[in-house]
PDB file of all heavy atoms in Angstrom:
ATOM      1  N   ILE A 174      58.280  93.817 142.863  1.00  0.00           N
ATOM      2  CA  ILE A 174      58.716  94.816 141.891  1.00  0.00           C
ATOM      3  C   ILE A 174      57.500  95.362 141.153  1.00  0.00           C
ATOM      4  O   ILE A 174      56.602  94.609 140.776  1.00  0.00           O
ATOM      5  CB  ILE A 174      59.725  94.202 140.897  1.00  0.00           C
ATOM      6  CG1 ILE A 174      61.064  93.947 141.606  1.00  0.00           C
ATOM      7  CG2 ILE A 174      59.936  95.100 139.678  1.00  0.00           C
ATOM      8  CD1 ILE A 174      62.075  93.204 140.754  1.00  0.00           C
ATOM      9  N   LEU A 175      57.460  96.674 140.958  1.00  0.00           N
ATOM     10  CA  LEU A 175      56.450  97.327 140.131  1.00  0.00           C
ATOM     11  C   LEU A 175      57.138  97.912 138.908  1.00  0.00           C
ATOM     12  O   LEU A 175      58.220  98.506 139.010  1.00  0.00           O
ATOM     13  CB  LEU A 175      55.733  98.435 140.904  1.00  0.00           C
ATOM     14  CG  LEU A 175      54.978  98.028 142.164  1.00  0.00           C
ATOM     15  CD1 LEU A 175      54.371  99.260 142.844  1.00  0.00           C
ATOM     16  CD2 LEU A 175      53.909  96.994 141.874  1.00  0.00           C
ATOM     17  N   GLU A 176      56.494  97.757 137.741  1.00  0.00           N
ATOM     18  CA  GLU A 176      57.027  98.320 136.500  1.00  0.00           C
ATOM     19  C   GLU A 176      55.921  99.043 135.755  1.00  0.00           C
ATOM     20  O   GLU A 176      54.745  98.714 135.901  1.00  0.00           O
ATOM     21  CB  GLU A 176      57.594  97.210 135.603  1.00  0.00           C
ATOM     22  CG  GLU A 176      58.806  96.521 136.180  1.00  0.00           C
ATOM     23  CD  GLU A 176      59.332  95.411 135.286  1.00  0.00           C
ATOM     24  OE1 GLU A 176      58.562  94.921 134.428  1.00  0.00           O
ATOM     25  OE2 GLU A 176      60.511  95.038 135.445  1.00  0.00           O
ATOM     26  N   ALA A 177      56.298  99.998 134.922  1.00  0.00           N
ATOM     27  CA  ALA A 177      55.334 100.753 134.126  1.00  0.00           C
ATOM     28  C   ALA A 177      55.696 100.650 132.654  1.00  0.00           C
ATOM     29  O   ALA A 177      56.877 100.766 132.278  1.00  0.00           O
ATOM     30  CB  ALA A 177      55.290 102.217 134.556  1.00  0.00           C
ATOM     31  N   TYR A 178      54.658 100.449 131.819  1.00  0.00           N
ATOM     32  CA  TYR A 178      54.826 100.327 130.375  1.00  0.00           C
ATOM     33  C   TYR A 178      53.745 101.121 129.656  1.00  0.00           C
ATOM     34  O   TYR A 178      52.584 101.157 130.105  1.00  0.00           O
ATOM     35  CB  TYR A 178      54.708  98.864 129.925  1.00  0.00           C
ATOM     36  CG  TYR A 178      55.777  97.959 130.445  1.00  0.00           C
ATOM     37  CD1 TYR A 178      55.657  97.348 131.692  1.00  0.00           C
ATOM     38  CD2 TYR A 178      56.915  97.691 129.685  1.00  0.00           C
ATOM     39  CE1 TYR A 178      56.641  96.486 132.171  1.00  0.00           C
ATOM     40  CE2 TYR A 178      57.903  96.831 130.150  1.00  0.00           C
ATOM     41  CZ  TYR A 178      57.761  96.237 131.402  1.00  0.00           C
ATOM     42  OH  TYR A 178      58.736  95.388 131.866  1.00  0.00           O
ATOM     43  N   ARG A 179      54.126 101.725 128.542  1.00  0.00           N
ATOM     44  CA  ARG A 179      53.130 102.267 127.628  1.00  0.00           C
ATOM     45  C   ARG A 179      52.532 101.121 126.814  1.00  0.00           C
ATOM     46  O   ARG A 179      53.120 100.042 126.702  1.00  0.00           O
ATOM     47  CB  ARG A 179      53.739 103.313 126.707  1.00  0.00           C
ATOM     48  CG  ARG A 179      54.093 104.624 127.415  1.00  0.00           C
ATOM     49  CD  ARG A 179      54.336 105.736 126.409  1.00  0.00           C
ATOM     50  NE  ARG A 179      54.427 107.027 127.086  1.00  0.00           N
ATOM     51  CZ  ARG A 179      55.569 107.637 127.405  1.00  0.00           C
ATOM     52  NH1 ARG A 179      56.720 107.056 127.087  1.00  0.00           N
ATOM     53  NH2 ARG A 179      55.578 108.803 128.021  1.00  0.00           N
ATOM     54  N   LEU A 180      51.378 101.379 126.216  1.00  0.00           N
ATOM     55  CA  LEU A 180      50.739 100.350 125.402  1.00  0.00           C
ATOM     56  C   LEU A 180      51.560 100.003 124.164  1.00  0.00           C
ATOM     57  O   LEU A 180      51.376  98.930 123.580  1.00  0.00           O
ATOM     58  CB  LEU A 180      49.324 100.784 124.999  1.00  0.00           C
ATOM     59  CG  LEU A 180      48.290 100.842 126.127  1.00  0.00           C
ATOM     60  CD1 LEU A 180      46.948 101.317 125.582  1.00  0.00           C
ATOM     61  CD2 LEU A 180      48.135  99.500 126.815  1.00  0.00           C
ATOM     62  N   ASP A 181      52.460 100.895 123.754  1.00  0.00           N
ATOM     63  CA  ASP A 181      53.317 100.574 122.611  1.00  0.00           C
ATOM     64  C   ASP A 181      54.554  99.788 123.024  1.00  0.00           C
ATOM     65  O   ASP A 181      55.431  99.506 122.201  1.00  0.00           O
ATOM     66  CB  ASP A 181      53.727 101.845 121.862  1.00  0.00           C
ATOM     67  CG  ASP A 181      54.617 102.773 122.692  1.00  0.00           C
ATOM     68  OD1 ASP A 181      54.991 102.421 123.833  1.00  0.00           O
ATOM     69  OD2 ASP A 181      54.938 103.868 122.193  1.00  0.00           O
ATOM     70  N   GLY A 182      54.630  99.418 124.297  1.00  0.00           N
ATOM     71  CA  GLY A 182      55.742  98.614 124.791  1.00  0.00           C
ATOM     72  C   GLY A 182      56.869  99.403 125.417  1.00  0.00           C
ATOM     73  O   GLY A 182      57.817  98.805 125.955  1.00  0.00           O
ATOM     74  N   THR A 183      56.812 100.728 125.391  1.00  0.00           N
ATOM     75  CA  THR A 183      57.867 101.541 125.991  1.00  0.00           C
ATOM     76  C   THR A 183      57.945 101.291 127.492  1.00  0.00           C
ATOM     77  O   THR A 183      56.944 101.402 128.205  1.00  0.00           O
ATOM     78  CB  THR A 183      57.621 103.034 125.735  1.00  0.00           C
ATOM     79  OG1 THR A 183      57.557 103.270 124.333  1.00  0.00           O
ATOM     80  CG2 THR A 183      58.734 103.882 126.350  1.00  0.00           C
ATOM     81  N   PHE A 184      59.134 100.944 127.960  1.00  0.00           N
ATOM     82  CA  PHE A 184      59.376 100.737 129.388  1.00  0.00           C
ATOM     83  C   PHE A 184      59.626 102.092 130.039  1.00  0.00           C
ATOM     84  O   PHE A 184      60.456 102.872 129.573  1.00  0.00           O
ATOM     85  CB  PHE A 184      60.587  99.820 129.575  1.00  0.00           C
ATOM     86  CG  PHE A 184      60.986  99.603 131.011  1.00  0.00           C
ATOM     87  CD1 PHE A 184      60.345  98.661 131.793  1.00  0.00           C
ATOM     88  CD2 PHE A 184      62.023 100.338 131.568  1.00  0.00           C
ATOM     89  CE1 PHE A 184      60.722  98.457 133.117  1.00  0.00           C
ATOM     90  CE2 PHE A 184      62.409 100.151 132.886  1.00  0.00           C
ATOM     91  CZ  PHE A 184      61.755  99.200 133.669  1.00  0.00           C
ATOM     92  N   LEU A 185      58.902 102.370 131.133  1.00  0.00           N
ATOM     93  CA  LEU A 185      59.024 103.675 131.782  1.00  0.00           C
ATOM     94  C   LEU A 185      59.886 103.635 133.038  1.00  0.00           C
ATOM     95  O   LEU A 185      60.754 104.485 133.220  1.00  0.00           O
ATOM     96  CB  LEU A 185      57.626 104.214 132.130  1.00  0.00           C
ATOM     97  CG  LEU A 185      56.716 104.555 130.952  1.00  0.00           C
ATOM     98  CD1 LEU A 185      55.353 105.016 131.440  1.00  0.00           C
ATOM     99  CD2 LEU A 185      57.356 105.614 130.066  1.00  0.00           C
ATOM    100  N   TRP A 186      59.637 102.690 133.927  1.00  0.00           N
ATOM    101  CA  TRP A 186      60.398 102.664 135.181  1.00  0.00           C
ATOM    102  C   TRP A 186      60.185 101.356 135.927  1.00  0.00           C
ATOM    103  O   TRP A 186      59.281 100.590 135.605  1.00  0.00           O
ATOM    104  CB  TRP A 186      60.045 103.837 136.092  1.00  0.00           C
ATOM    105  CG  TRP A 186      58.567 104.107 136.322  1.00  0.00           C
ATOM    106  CD1 TRP A 186      57.837 105.108 135.772  1.00  0.00           C
ATOM    107  CD2 TRP A 186      57.655 103.372 137.168  1.00  0.00           C
ATOM    108  NE1 TRP A 186      56.532 105.052 136.207  1.00  0.00           N
ATOM    109  CE2 TRP A 186      56.394 103.995 137.078  1.00  0.00           C
ATOM    110  CE3 TRP A 186      57.781 102.265 137.994  1.00  0.00           C
ATOM    111  CZ2 TRP A 186      55.274 103.548 137.777  1.00  0.00           C
ATOM    112  CZ3 TRP A 186      56.660 101.798 138.688  1.00  0.00           C
ATOM    113  CH2 TRP A 186      55.430 102.445 138.574  1.00  0.00           C
ATOM    114  N   ARG A 187      61.040 101.149 136.925  1.00  0.00           N
ATOM    115  CA  ARG A 187      60.918  99.999 137.824  1.00  0.00           C
ATOM    116  C   ARG A 187      61.091 100.474 139.256  1.00  0.00           C
ATOM    117  O   ARG A 187      62.038 101.219 139.567  1.00  0.00           O
ATOM    118  CB  ARG A 187      61.964  98.932 137.490  1.00  0.00           C
ATOM    119  CG  ARG A 187      61.990  97.753 138.469  1.00  0.00           C
ATOM    120  CD  ARG A 187      63.022  96.720 138.047  1.00  0.00           C
ATOM    121  NE  ARG A 187      62.611  96.075 136.801  1.00  0.00           N
ATOM    122  CZ  ARG A 187      63.456  95.562 135.915  1.00  0.00           C
ATOM    123  NH1 ARG A 187      64.767  95.663 136.107  1.00  0.00           N
ATOM    124  NH2 ARG A 187      62.993  94.980 134.821  1.00  0.00           N
TER     125      ARG A 187
END
Side-chain angles (χ1 to χ4, degrees):
I174 289 174
L175 300 178
E176 294 179 340
Y178 295 86
R179 289 195 170 98
L180 291 179
D181 65 4
T183 302
F184 176 82
L185 294 178
W186 48 255
R187 175 178 292 152

